[in-house]
């Protein structure tokens, strides 16, 4: 399987993000899927998984988003930039009608960004 150079990987991430922002969900989803497939199994592309989750959320598919988020949130501590995954998790849970779990994920996000539980 082909291996991407770092600059190629970054370029594809930017392209997928732009496609999503322009409403081209299917194109963004294909790029994120390719990035996932090209990542080594030992080091999944957590950013591509997060992007795929964003595509699923924008399509109203909370279950699929949660599946991607499990992979994006696994594998060690999250950077402060990636705490937004908890916000995405809250959105996906809300789409699935799991409102209490969505609120808990939102509370976790608020705690991680320093807003506290009652923010």
């Amino acid at each position: 399987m082909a291996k991407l150079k770092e600059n190629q990987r970054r370029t594809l991430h930017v392209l997928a993000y732009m496609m999503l922002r322009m409403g081209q969900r299917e194109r963004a989803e294909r790029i994120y899927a390719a990035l996932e497939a090209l990542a080594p199994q030992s080091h999944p592309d957590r950013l591509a998984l997060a992007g795929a989750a964003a595509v699923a959320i924008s399509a109203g598919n909370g279950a699929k988003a949660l599946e991607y988020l499990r992979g994006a949130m696994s594998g060690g501590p999250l950077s402060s930039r990636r705490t937004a995954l908890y916000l995405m998790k809250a959105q996906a849970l809300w789409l699935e009608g799991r409102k209490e779990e969505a609120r808990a994920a939102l509370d976790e996000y608020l705690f991680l960004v320093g807003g506290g539980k009652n923010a």
Side-chain angles (χ1 to χ4, degrees), residues 47-67:
L47 189 55
L49 291 168
V55 170
I57 288 169
S58 72
N61 190 337
K64 192 172 185 181
L66 288 169
E67 184 180 316

Side-chain angles (χ1 to χ4, degrees), residues 58-109:
S58 72
N61 190 337
K64 192 172 185 181
L66 288 169
E67 184 180 316
Y68 287 125
L69 286 168
R70 267 189 287 284
M73 297 173 86
S74 67
L78 297 172
S79 69
S80 58
R81 285 183 350 176
R82 296 200 183 179
T83 58
L85 294 175
Y86 282 98
L87 185 57
M88 292 172 65
K89 183 177 179 180
Q91 290 175 302
L93 288 165
W94 189 266
L95 286 171
E96 291 298 295
R98 297 163 58 182
K99 296 183 184 349
E100 287 184 30
E101 291 173 90
R103 181 60 195 184
L106 180 60
D107 287 343
E108 183 70 18
Y109 167 75

Side-chain angles (χ1 to χ4, degrees), residues 16-83:
Y17 176 77
M18 288 174 50
M19 290 290 126
L20 180 58
R21 296 291 293 168
M22 293 186 321
Q24 300 290 320
R25 277 196 307 252
E26 289 179 13
R27 287 181 176 178
E29 187 174 31
R30 283 196 304 268
I31 296 168
Y32 285 130
L35 284 163
E36 290 173 58
L38 291 171
Q41 283 187 336
S42 60
H43 291 77
D45 190 331
R46 292 169 67 186
L47 189 55
L49 291 168
V55 170
I57 288 169
S58 72
N61 190 337
K64 192 172 185 181
L66 288 169
E67 184 180 316
Y68 287 125
L69 286 168
R70 267 189 287 284
M73 297 173 86
S74 67
L78 297 172
S79 69
S80 58
R81 285 183 350 176
R82 296 200 183 179
T83 58

